[in-house]
Amino acid sequence: MADDGSAQSAATWPMAKFSFRVKWEDNELIFQEVTGLGPGTQVAEVGNITLKKGICKGDAALWDSINQVKMNTIRRSTVLISLLDETNAVVMSWSLLNAFPTKMTGADMKPDTNEAAIEVMELAHDGVTLIK
């Protein structure tokens, strides 16, 4: 009888990425995309983490964070990034050590498209730890 794959456990299939919850200090935001997670290969330099999310009406948390950097009042803090499944349960998490925002990019304003408005933030940090 041919193996139809039904006997495989759910753990053998790659996880779908539904969204990412990012927590730092008093902020908790949901992002659609996170890039740059993983151990660095260079001793002296660690790459930045890039976070992307849709712009929601009245949501200024990212802008407030980057404005603190401009005013030299930002504190480095631990940031927890969690991959969420379809039920919003945490599948796995990554912890960023001494993270702070370094760059903010607003949405491209092109009225001839019907794409979602996306904002991007980069976080610098001193290291990434995988939390299983």
Side-chain angles (χ1 to χ4, degrees):
M1 186 160 138
D3 182 10
D4 66 359
S6 62
Q8 289 182 324
S9 75
T12 61
W13 295 99
M15 291 178 289
K17 55 181 185 174
F18 288 92
S19 59
F20 297 87
R21 180 176 59 211
V22 178
K23 292 182 180 182
W24 80 91
E25 306 236 340
D26 294 332
N27 299 309
E28 182 176 317
L29 297 166
I30 301 295
F31 289 85
Q32 287 79 29
E33 185 177 333
V34 176
T35 59
L37 289 172
T41 56
Q42 298 177 2
V43 175
E45 186 176 329
V46 177
N48 288 353
I49 303 296
T50 303
L51 308 168
K52 295 181 182 181
K53 70 180 269 315
I55 297 175
C56 298
K57 184 176 180 177
D59 178 12
L62 294 184
W63 287 98
D64 292 345
S65 296
I66 203 70
N67 281 332
Q68 289 178 358
V69 172
K70 290 180 191 175
M71 296 170 41
N72 270 342
T73 60
I74 193 69
R75 292 185 318 221
R76 291 176 174 245
S77 59
T78 299
V79 173
L80 184 65
I81 300 174
S82 300
L83 171 62
L84 306 178
D85 66 12
E86 65 275 8
T87 66
N88 287 329
V90 174
V91 176
M92 63 186 342
S93 297
W94 297 263
S95 178
L96 307 180
L97 179 64
N98 296 325
F100 62 97
T102 60
K103 183 178 179 182
M104 175 78 182
T105 305
D108 293 333
M109 299 301 176
K110 297 180 185 176
D112 60 341
T113 67
N114 62 353
E115 299 171 350
I118 303 294
E119 57 189 351
V120 180
M121 175 178 271
E122 274 190 33
L123 296 176
H125 59 92
D126 289 339
V128 177
T129 303
L130 174 64
I131 304 168
K132 298 179 183 180

